[in-house]
Amino acid sequence: MSRIASSRVLDVRFPTSLELDGSDAVNVDPDYSAAYLTLTTDAGDSGYGLVFTAGRGNEVVVAAIESAVALLPDADVETLLDDLGAVSKALVHDSQFRWIGPEKGVSHMAVGAVLTALWDLKARRVGLPLWELIANLTPEEFVAAVDFSHLRDAITEDEALELLRKAEPGKADRIAELKQTGYAAYTTSPGWLGYSDDKMVTLAKEAVADGFELIKLKVGGSVEDDVRRMKLAREAVGPDIKIAVDANQKWEVHEAATWIKSIGDPDIHWIEEPTSPDDVLGHARIRREVSPIKIATGEAVQNRIIVKQLLQAGAIDILQIDSTRFAGPNENLANLLLAAKFGVPVCPHAGGVGLCELVVHFSLIDYAAVSADRDGRVIEYVDHLHEHFVDPVVVERAHYLAPAAPGAGGEMREESVARWTYPDGPGWAELFESGAFTR
Amino acid sequence: MSRIASSRVLDVRFPTSLELDGSDAVNVDPDYSAAYLTLTTDAGDSGYGLVFTAGRGNEVVVAAIESAVALLPDADVETLLDDLGAVSKALVHDSQFRWIGPEKGVSHMAVGAVLTALWDLKARRVGLPLWELIANLTPEEFVAAVDFSHLRDAITEDEALELLRKAEPGKADRIAELKQTGYAAYTTSPGWLGYSDDKMVTLAKEAVADGFELIKLKVGGSVEDDVRRMKLAREAVGPDIKIAVDANQKWEVHEAATWIKSIGDPDIHWIEEPTSPDDVLGHARIRREVSPIKIATGEAVQNRIIVKQLLQAGAIDILQIDSTRFAGPNENLANLLLAAKFGVPVCPHAGGVGLCELVVHFSLIDYAAVSADRDGRVIEYVDHLHEHFVDPVVVERAHYLAPAAPGAGGEMREESVARWTYPDGPGWAELFESGAFTR
């Protein structure tokens, strides 16, 4: 038997605003950051979790993770890992802590980091990548990991069991297939709004050469820019490559359709985050108005209850789960179940810091154990900051390889963490000294 | 000209869980707390803001308020106070900080505390209570204080101006009337779930004797308890006093109507928080199923975008704004405009720590300058913790007196703050030493 002996939460930030990597109509100057948690047991092993942020505010999430760790039930590690469904409910529904959410924003993401670290530890202890651990759960074990509260008007435990049991036949084959073929990726790397036209065109051509069949452009800054960039991108990639666009919540509900139509490309593959992620009814209206163009959202959706409503309202064609916005793996399993119930494909959001490493597991779980389908499903890929991870994702011929290393994927390299801890790491000290950044 | 010279954010907690004051089906053991902000200028005056919480997690909000203060534009106090609409947008939409919301939870409430402190300072400088300062704004000034982003499919700046101009005639009379008569209150003090039947009955009778015409009971623990308590309360208060019930988000959407009907009182005045505050569609369904019983929610609604949808979906009969859940006075002005546009009455949530002191202003603004109506509108009143405020609300004959002291109402007594700062204040030290609490 072992106990959690220590926890460490660090404010790690990368100065991405210098190059406008990750810039879009709303996130104009992000410094991609992580509130990074290490839980270490008195047996000497560790689990790793993180929350991705855009810079300022990362320190608040650090504080929240420290508080969420303090809410862990007083039990042996083995007891905790044996029922992570119970742990997730204890953290999410803590009778006092819940007030500051409930189940949303800083406190919810912090709980997610703790749960990610625990699942990571559990997977390491059995020597499996997280996706394979979870894909091999029995339907009963899978359901026990999920919090169905406020979901049962859309999916009950029994319906979830039925759905998972239906996916049992062929599961071993699909797991083997995933290990062989990986999972399709698309790339956002060409499309950041802060990039020049030339840089965008060059990167778009490179993406096609690398085998990507779908790229994504950021839009929503100005109609003129969007029209020009879309035209240039379409010329660069040709008619057979799909182009999705992403407005990052920029538009008012009633103006979205007009703007989208003004972009002037009849083959936009999807529109992502056309308006506030909180606006279920707004997404439903926009979807009606731009049909048959598809609507996608999810990266800033706060919890499974909004996901449920987006599906109930017929507001989205594609659900884009995020690996650090929700309350950890547990809530993303709920999201996979909801999407499968409503027949909506899951195409995860990734990029940021570690989001690719963490989220790939959930698409693999979805195919292996939940929807048993990967038609029309792709995982976002952005080629930034992977060098800071111990087990970085590998994308080859536009496919994520199935992670093979034990764990959930979020462990960062200690050299990176030391260098980029904010504000006192040497990387930041140098930037402050050079005047590139001011504190 | 003056500058913000210093800010102080304290973690103030009161041990209310010892008496089960404030206990309900979800908040079973709250220690009513405040993350308490003082902004002091180099002219020597101060503004006060706070966020109410239920105990654990208050420290996270403290950290978030410190971070939100750091986002204030680098400008003279006079410049800030002259355009608090611009300040609210700068804080709410900060290009990096917004990621950890967006516009919800810890970070949003923290921004709200900063804005409350600035409005408080502004009101003190002109020597008016906040409600009177805002009620006397021109329609143009009022609209400039509001962030209409993601609202314009429901209400535009022009529609808001029209609505406010319609309320201009008679405004001076209504302000005078409010100073004379105050504003109707209802009381939740008898109804906490942790109270014995005897205590509940005694307090319910006292409430009637004090002139209250509406009391509220907490429900949702068990059907049996709810039936018994409702019957006892009805016998205690007689047929002419209204009784509302509050489930504090306890129910699944599909079970709410059955539970409500099981309570067996045909005259339930409203059902409050039947399910998750995030569930717009769920509230709409429950409202259809229990009609004509009214549905109320708002105290845990995260922002104006959810408020907008609750109104668009016909999901609520009563909007219960809260003074520290939203992004300060600015967002509550948006909420008042939305409610007036949809013809839904605002009956604010209060209680907690300082919520009565802060929220009373918004009902007065609503009557004076927005809806110009107070029919069916009441402000919640709970008789706890007012002694810790410099200008506590006064409720007489079941009416809030109109605040007369300059400011927004959130200034706490320094003795109280010193005694109950957590965990090192002497009040807490004594409780730890006596064993009543463990750290």
Side-chain angles (χ1 to χ4, degrees), chain B residues 385-435:
Chain B
L385 305 175
H386 301 290
E387 65 275 21
H388 302 299
F389 285 80
V390 172
D391 300 305
V393 291
V394 179
V395 170
E396 285 180 1
R397 297 182 314 282
H399 281 70
Y400 277 84
L401 303 194
E411 184 185 1
M412 298 182 78
R413 296 178 62 217
E414 277 300 313
E415 312 87 279
S416 294
V417 166
R419 178 159 179 79
W420 294 109
T421 293
Y422 186 87
D424 295 325
W428 283 102
E430 288 161 25
L431 289 168
F432 293 137
E433 201 170 331
S434 74

Short mmCIF file of all heavy atoms in Angstrom, two decimals, chain B residues 385-435:
data_model
loop_
_atom_site.label_atom_id
_atom_site.label_comp_id
_atom_site.label_asym_id
_atom_site.label_seq_id
_atom_site.Cartn_x
_atom_site.Cartn_y
_atom_site.Cartn_z
N LEU B 385 -25.10 37.44 9.44
CA LEU B 385 -23.78 37.99 9.15
C LEU B 385 -23.79 39.47 8.76
O LEU B 385 -22.75 40.02 8.39
CB LEU B 385 -23.07 37.17 8.05
CG LEU B 385 -22.93 35.66 8.34
CD1 LEU B 385 -22.33 34.94 7.12
CD2 LEU B 385 -22.09 35.39 9.57
N HIS B 386 -24.93 40.14 8.89
CA HIS B 386 -24.97 41.56 8.54
C HIS B 386 -24.12 42.40 9.49
O HIS B 386 -23.66 43.48 9.12
CB HIS B 386 -26.42 42.06 8.53
CG HIS B 386 -27.27 41.30 7.57
ND1 HIS B 386 -27.13 41.43 6.21
CD2 HIS B 386 -28.23 40.37 7.77
CE1 HIS B 386 -27.98 40.62 5.61
NE2 HIS B 386 -28.65 39.96 6.53
N GLU B 387 -23.94 41.88 10.71
CA GLU B 387 -23.19 42.64 11.71
C GLU B 387 -21.74 42.87 11.32
O GLU B 387 -21.04 43.67 11.94
CB GLU B 387 -23.27 41.93 13.07
CG GLU B 387 -22.60 40.57 13.14
CD GLU B 387 -23.46 39.40 12.65
OE1 GLU B 387 -24.44 39.64 11.90
OE2 GLU B 387 -23.13 38.25 13.02
N HIS B 388 -21.29 42.16 10.29
CA HIS B 388 -19.89 42.33 9.88
C HIS B 388 -19.71 43.45 8.86
O HIS B 388 -18.60 43.67 8.38
CB HIS B 388 -19.36 41.01 9.33
CG HIS B 388 -19.45 39.89 10.32
ND1 HIS B 388 -18.80 39.93 11.52
CD2 HIS B 388 -20.15 38.73 10.30
CE1 HIS B 388 -19.08 38.81 12.20
NE2 HIS B 388 -19.90 38.08 11.48
N PHE B 389 -20.79 44.11 8.49
CA PHE B 389 -20.71 45.15 7.47
C PHE B 389 -20.83 46.55 8.07
O PHE B 389 -21.54 46.75 9.06
CB PHE B 389 -21.78 44.91 6.39
CG PHE B 389 -21.35 43.77 5.51
CD1 PHE B 389 -21.54 42.45 5.92
CD2 PHE B 389 -20.68 44.00 4.33
CE1 PHE B 389 -21.08 41.39 5.16
CE2 PHE B 389 -20.21 42.95 3.56
CZ PHE B 389 -20.40 41.64 3.98
N VAL B 390 -20.12 47.47 7.46
CA VAL B 390 -20.11 48.85 7.95
C VAL B 390 -21.48 49.49 7.74
O VAL B 390 -21.96 50.24 8.61
CB VAL B 390 -19.00 49.65 7.24
CG1 VAL B 390 -19.09 51.14 7.59
CG2 VAL B 390 -17.62 49.10 7.62
N ASP B 391 -22.11 49.20 6.61
CA ASP B 391 -23.44 49.74 6.32
C ASP B 391 -24.40 48.60 6.05
O ASP B 391 -24.80 48.36 4.90
CB ASP B 391 -23.38 50.67 5.10
CG ASP B 391 -22.45 51.85 5.31
OD1 ASP B 391 -22.64 52.57 6.30
OD2 ASP B 391 -21.53 52.02 4.49
N PRO B 392 -24.77 47.86 7.09
CA PRO B 392 -25.63 46.69 6.86
C PRO B 392 -27.00 47.11 6.33
O PRO B 392 -27.48 48.20 6.64
CB PRO B 392 -25.75 46.05 8.25
CG PRO B 392 -25.46 47.15 9.20
CD PRO B 392 -24.50 48.07 8.52
N VAL B 393 -27.60 46.21 5.55
CA VAL B 393 -28.97 46.49 5.11
C VAL B 393 -29.88 46.54 6.33
O VAL B 393 -29.63 45.90 7.35
CB VAL B 393 -29.51 45.43 4.13
CG1 VAL B 393 -28.78 45.51 2.80
CG2 VAL B 393 -29.43 44.03 4.71
N VAL B 394 -30.97 47.27 6.16
CA VAL B 394 -31.99 47.30 7.20
C VAL B 394 -33.28 46.82 6.56
O VAL B 394 -33.71 47.35 5.52
CB VAL B 394 -32.17 48.72 7.78
CG1 VAL B 394 -33.27 48.71 8.85
CG2 VAL B 394 -30.86 49.22 8.35
N VAL B 395 -33.87 45.78 7.17
CA VAL B 395 -35.16 45.28 6.70
C VAL B 395 -36.18 45.55 7.80
O VAL B 395 -36.01 45.13 8.94
CB VAL B 395 -35.08 43.78 6.36
CG1 VAL B 395 -36.47 43.21 6.12
CG2 VAL B 395 -34.20 43.58 5.13
N GLU B 396 -37.22 46.30 7.44
CA GLU B 396 -38.28 46.64 8.39
C GLU B 396 -39.62 46.33 7.76
O GLU B 396 -39.85 46.67 6.59
CB GLU B 396 -38.24 48.14 8.74
CG GLU B 396 -37.10 48.50 9.67
CD GLU B 396 -37.07 49.99 10.00
OE1 GLU B 396 -37.96 50.73 9.50
OE2 GLU B 396 -36.16 50.40 10.72
N ARG B 397 -40.49 45.70 8.54
CA ARG B 397 -41.80 45.31 8.02
C ARG B 397 -41.65 44.64 6.64
O ARG B 397 -42.35 44.97 5.69
CB ARG B 397 -42.76 46.50 7.95
CG ARG B 397 -43.08 47.10 9.35
CD ARG B 397 -44.06 48.24 9.26
NE ARG B 397 -43.72 49.18 8.20
CZ ARG B 397 -42.77 50.11 8.29
NH1 ARG B 397 -42.06 50.22 9.39
NH2 ARG B 397 -42.53 50.92 7.27
N ALA B 398 -40.68 43.70 6.57
CA ALA B 398 -40.47 42.90 5.36
C ALA B 398 -40.11 43.73 4.13
O ALA B 398 -40.38 43.33 3.00
CB ALA B 398 -41.68 42.01 5.08
N HIS B 399 -39.51 44.87 4.36
CA HIS B 399 -39.00 45.68 3.25
C HIS B 399 -37.57 46.11 3.52
O HIS B 399 -37.24 46.52 4.64
CB HIS B 399 -39.86 46.94 3.05
CG HIS B 399 -41.14 46.67 2.33
ND1 HIS B 399 -42.16 45.95 2.90
CD2 HIS B 399 -41.55 46.99 1.07
CE1 HIS B 399 -43.17 45.84 2.02
NE2 HIS B 399 -42.82 46.46 0.91
N TYR B 400 -36.73 45.97 2.49
CA TYR B 400 -35.41 46.58 2.54
C TYR B 400 -35.56 48.09 2.50
O TYR B 400 -36.25 48.61 1.59
CB TYR B 400 -34.59 46.19 1.31
CG TYR B 400 -33.90 44.86 1.34
CD1 TYR B 400 -34.55 43.68 0.99
CD2 TYR B 400 -32.54 44.79 1.66
CE1 TYR B 400 -33.90 42.46 0.98
CE2 TYR B 400 -31.87 43.57 1.66
CZ TYR B 400 -32.55 42.41 1.32
OH TYR B 400 -31.90 41.21 1.30
N LEU B 401 -34.94 48.81 3.44
CA LEU B 401 -34.84 50.26 3.27
C LEU B 401 -33.85 50.53 2.14
O LEU B 401 -32.88 49.80 1.95
CB LEU B 401 -34.34 50.92 4.56
CG LEU B 401 -35.15 50.66 5.84
CD1 LEU B 401 -34.72 51.65 6.93
CD2 LEU B 401 -36.65 50.77 5.60
N ALA B 402 -34.10 51.58 1.40
CA ALA B 402 -33.16 51.97 0.34
C ALA B 402 -31.84 52.40 0.98
O ALA B 402 -31.83 53.25 1.88
CB ALA B 402 -33.74 53.12 -0.48
N PRO B 403 -30.73 51.80 0.57
CA PRO B 403 -29.44 52.21 1.16
C PRO B 403 -29.21 53.70 0.95
O PRO B 403 -29.50 54.23 -0.13
CB PRO B 403 -28.41 51.39 0.37
CG PRO B 403 -29.16 50.22 -0.15
CD PRO B 403 -30.56 50.72 -0.40
N ALA B 404 -28.72 54.34 1.99
CA ALA B 404 -28.47 55.78 1.91
C ALA B 404 -26.98 56.11 1.97
O ALA B 404 -26.55 57.17 1.53
CB ALA B 404 -29.20 56.49 3.07
N ALA B 405 -26.18 55.19 2.51
CA ALA B 405 -24.75 55.47 2.65
C ALA B 405 -24.08 55.46 1.27
O ALA B 405 -24.45 54.65 0.41
CB ALA B 405 -24.10 54.43 3.56
N PRO B 406 -23.11 56.32 1.05
CA PRO B 406 -22.39 56.30 -0.22
C PRO B 406 -21.71 54.96 -0.45
O PRO B 406 -21.19 54.35 0.49
CB PRO B 406 -21.34 57.41 -0.07
CG PRO B 406 -21.90 58.32 0.98
CD PRO B 406 -22.65 57.42 1.92
N GLY B 407 -21.72 54.48 -1.72
CA GLY B 407 -20.99 53.25 -2.06
C GLY B 407 -21.91 52.12 -2.47
O GLY B 407 -23.13 52.29 -2.61
N ALA B 408 -21.28 50.96 -2.64
CA ALA B 408 -21.97 49.78 -3.16
C ALA B 408 -22.40 48.81 -2.08
O ALA B 408 -23.08 47.83 -2.37
CB ALA B 408 -21.08 49.05 -4.17
N GLY B 409 -21.98 49.04 -0.83
CA GLY B 409 -22.49 48.23 0.28
C GLY B 409 -21.57 47.15 0.79
O GLY B 409 -21.87 46.51 1.80
N GLY B 410 -20.44 46.91 0.13
CA GLY B 410 -19.63 45.73 0.47
C GLY B 410 -18.52 45.95 1.49
O GLY B 410 -17.75 45.02 1.74
N GLU B 411 -18.44 47.13 2.10
CA GLU B 411 -17.35 47.34 3.05
C GLU B 411 -17.60 46.56 4.34
O GLU B 411 -18.67 46.69 4.95
CB GLU B 411 -17.16 48.83 3.37
CG GLU B 411 -15.97 49.07 4.29
CD GLU B 411 -15.80 50.52 4.73
OE1 GLU B 411 -16.63 51.37 4.35
OE2 GLU B 411 -14.84 50.79 5.47
N MET B 412 -16.62 45.78 4.76
CA MET B 412 -16.75 45.00 5.99
C MET B 412 -16.08 45.73 7.16
O MET B 412 -15.21 46.58 6.97
CB MET B 412 -16.13 43.61 5.81
CG MET B 412 -16.83 42.81 4.71
SD MET B 412 -16.16 41.13 4.49
CE MET B 412 -16.94 40.32 5.90
N ARG B 413 -16.51 45.38 8.37
CA ARG B 413 -15.90 45.98 9.56
C ARG B 413 -14.50 45.40 9.75
O ARG B 413 -14.32 44.18 9.69
CB ARG B 413 -16.78 45.74 10.78
CG ARG B 413 -18.15 46.43 10.66
CD ARG B 413 -19.03 46.12 11.86
NE ARG B 413 -18.40 46.64 13.07
CZ ARG B 413 -18.43 46.02 14.26
NH1 ARG B 413 -19.08 44.89 14.40
NH2 ARG B 413 -17.82 46.55 15.31
N GLU B 414 -13.55 46.24 10.02
CA GLU B 414 -12.17 45.78 10.15
C GLU B 414 -12.02 44.77 11.29
O GLU B 414 -11.24 43.82 11.19
CB GLU B 414 -11.20 46.96 10.34
CG GLU B 414 -10.79 47.62 9.02
CD GLU B 414 -10.07 46.68 8.04
OE1 GLU B 414 -9.15 45.94 8.45
OE2 GLU B 414 -10.44 46.67 6.85
N GLU B 415 -12.77 44.94 12.38
CA GLU B 415 -12.69 43.98 13.49
C GLU B 415 -13.13 42.59 13.04
O GLU B 415 -12.53 41.58 13.39
CB GLU B 415 -13.59 44.37 14.67
CG GLU B 415 -13.51 45.81 15.13
CD GLU B 415 -14.46 46.71 14.35
OE1 GLU B 415 -14.10 47.11 13.21
OE2 GLU B 415 -15.56 46.99 14.84
N SER B 416 -14.20 42.56 12.23
CA SER B 416 -14.71 41.27 11.75
C SER B 416 -13.70 40.60 10.84
O SER B 416 -13.43 39.40 10.93
CB SER B 416 -16.01 41.48 10.97
OG SER B 416 -17.02 41.96 11.83
N VAL B 417 -13.15 41.40 9.93
CA VAL B 417 -12.21 40.88 8.97
C VAL B 417 -10.98 40.32 9.71
O VAL B 417 -10.49 39.22 9.41
CB VAL B 417 -11.80 42.00 7.99
CG1 VAL B 417 -10.59 41.60 7.20
CG2 VAL B 417 -12.98 42.33 7.08
N ALA B 418 -10.49 41.07 10.69
CA ALA B 418 -9.31 40.62 11.43
C ALA B 418 -9.61 39.33 12.19
O ALA B 418 -8.81 38.39 12.19
CB ALA B 418 -8.84 41.72 12.39
N ARG B 419 -10.78 39.27 12.78
CA ARG B 419 -11.11 38.09 13.61
C ARG B 419 -11.30 36.84 12.76
O ARG B 419 -10.91 35.75 13.16
CB ARG B 419 -12.39 38.37 14.41
CG ARG B 419 -12.84 37.20 15.26
CD ARG B 419 -13.75 37.58 16.40
NE ARG B 419 -14.16 36.38 17.14
CZ ARG B 419 -13.42 35.75 18.02
NH1 ARG B 419 -12.21 36.20 18.31
NH2 ARG B 419 -13.85 34.66 18.63
N TRP B 420 -11.87 36.99 11.58
CA TRP B 420 -12.27 35.81 10.81
C TRP B 420 -11.44 35.57 9.56
O TRP B 420 -11.83 34.79 8.69
CB TRP B 420 -13.77 35.90 10.48
CG TRP B 420 -14.60 35.80 11.73
CD1 TRP B 420 -15.30 36.79 12.33
CD2 TRP B 420 -14.74 34.64 12.56
NE1 TRP B 420 -15.90 36.33 13.49
CE2 TRP B 420 -15.57 35.00 13.65
CE3 TRP B 420 -14.25 33.32 12.51
CZ2 TRP B 420 -15.92 34.12 14.66
CZ3 TRP B 420 -14.61 32.43 13.51
CH2 TRP B 420 -15.44 32.83 14.58
N THR B 421 -10.28 36.25 9.44
CA THR B 421 -9.39 35.90 8.34
C THR B 421 -8.91 34.47 8.55
O THR B 421 -8.56 34.06 9.66
CB THR B 421 -8.20 36.88 8.29
OG1 THR B 421 -8.69 38.16 7.93
CG2 THR B 421 -7.18 36.43 7.25
N TYR B 422 -8.98 33.71 7.45
CA TYR B 422 -8.71 32.28 7.51
C TYR B 422 -7.31 31.98 7.00
O TYR B 422 -6.92 32.53 5.97
CB TYR B 422 -9.74 31.54 6.64
CG TYR B 422 -9.68 30.04 6.72
CD1 TYR B 422 -10.40 29.36 7.71
CD2 TYR B 422 -8.89 29.31 5.84
CE1 TYR B 422 -10.34 27.99 7.79
CE2 TYR B 422 -8.83 27.93 5.93
CZ TYR B 422 -9.56 27.27 6.90
OH TYR B 422 -9.50 25.91 7.00
N PRO B 423 -6.56 31.12 7.65
CA PRO B 423 -6.88 30.37 8.87
C PRO B 423 -6.27 30.99 10.12
O PRO B 423 -6.34 30.38 11.19
CB PRO B 423 -6.22 29.02 8.59
CG PRO B 423 -5.00 29.37 7.78
CD PRO B 423 -5.34 30.63 7.00
N ASP B 424 -5.69 32.21 9.99
CA ASP B 424 -4.88 32.71 11.10
C ASP B 424 -5.57 33.71 12.02
O ASP B 424 -4.99 34.11 13.04
CB ASP B 424 -3.59 33.33 10.53
CG ASP B 424 -2.73 32.26 9.86
OD1 ASP B 424 -2.72 31.12 10.36
OD2 ASP B 424 -2.10 32.57 8.82
N GLY B 425 -6.79 34.15 11.67
CA GLY B 425 -7.48 35.09 12.56
C GLY B 425 -7.80 34.44 13.90
O GLY B 425 -7.95 33.21 13.98
N PRO B 426 -7.92 35.23 14.95
CA PRO B 426 -8.16 34.66 16.28
C PRO B 426 -9.46 33.86 16.39
O PRO B 426 -9.52 32.89 17.16
CB PRO B 426 -8.18 35.89 17.20
CG PRO B 426 -8.27 37.08 16.30
CD PRO B 426 -7.73 36.69 14.98
N GLY B 427 -10.48 34.23 15.62
CA GLY B 427 -11.73 33.45 15.63
C GLY B 427 -11.46 32.01 15.22
O GLY B 427 -11.93 31.05 15.86
N TRP B 428 -10.69 31.84 14.16
CA TRP B 428 -10.38 30.50 13.69
C TRP B 428 -9.39 29.80 14.61
O TRP B 428 -9.53 28.59 14.86
CB TRP B 428 -9.85 30.56 12.24
CG TRP B 428 -10.99 30.76 11.29
CD1 TRP B 428 -11.35 31.92 10.68
CD2 TRP B 428 -11.96 29.77 10.92
NE1 TRP B 428 -12.49 31.72 9.93
CE2 TRP B 428 -12.89 30.41 10.05
CE3 TRP B 428 -12.16 28.43 11.22
CZ2 TRP B 428 -13.97 29.75 9.48
CZ3 TRP B 428 -13.24 27.76 10.65
CH2 TRP B 428 -14.13 28.42 9.80
N ALA B 429 -8.42 30.55 15.13
CA ALA B 429 -7.44 29.93 16.04
C ALA B 429 -8.17 29.30 17.23
O ALA B 429 -7.86 28.17 17.63
CB ALA B 429 -6.43 30.98 16.50
N GLU B 430 -9.17 30.02 17.74
CA GLU B 430 -9.93 29.47 18.89
C GLU B 430 -10.69 28.20 18.48
O GLU B 430 -10.75 27.24 19.25
CB GLU B 430 -10.93 30.52 19.41
CG GLU B 430 -10.25 31.67 20.14
CD GLU B 430 -11.15 32.91 20.25
OE1 GLU B 430 -12.39 32.75 20.20
OE2 GLU B 430 -10.61 34.02 20.38
N LEU B 431 -11.28 28.21 17.30
CA LEU B 431 -12.04 27.03 16.85
C LEU B 431 -11.12 25.83 16.62
O LEU B 431 -11.48 24.69 16.92
CB LEU B 431 -12.82 27.35 15.58
CG LEU B 431 -14.01 28.29 15.77
CD1 LEU B 431 -14.53 28.77 14.42
CD2 LEU B 431 -15.13 27.58 16.54
N PHE B 432 -9.95 26.10 16.08
CA PHE B 432 -8.99 24.99 15.89
C PHE B 432 -8.55 24.45 17.25
O PHE B 432 -8.46 23.25 17.46
CB PHE B 432 -7.77 25.46 15.09
CG PHE B 432 -8.07 25.82 13.65
CD1 PHE B 432 -7.52 26.95 13.07
CD2 PHE B 432 -8.91 25.02 12.88
CE1 PHE B 432 -7.80 27.29 11.75
CE2 PHE B 432 -9.19 25.34 11.55
CZ PHE B 432 -8.64 26.48 11.00
N GLU B 433 -8.29 25.37 18.18
CA GLU B 433 -7.80 24.95 19.49
C GLU B 433 -8.85 24.15 20.25
O GLU B 433 -8.53 23.15 20.91
CB GLU B 433 -7.39 26.19 20.30
CG GLU B 433 -6.43 25.87 21.42
CD GLU B 433 -5.87 27.16 22.04
OE1 GLU B 433 -5.79 28.16 21.27
OE2 GLU B 433 -5.56 27.17 23.22
N SER B 434 -10.10 24.57 20.10
CA SER B 434 -11.17 23.87 20.84
C SER B 434 -11.52 22.54 20.19
O SER B 434 -12.28 21.76 20.76
CB SER B 434 -12.42 24.75 20.87
OG SER B 434 -13.03 24.75 19.59
N GLY B 435 -11.01 22.31 18.99
CA GLY B 435 -11.36 21.08 18.29
C GLY B 435 -12.66 21.14 17.54
O GLY B 435 -13.08 20.15 16.93
#
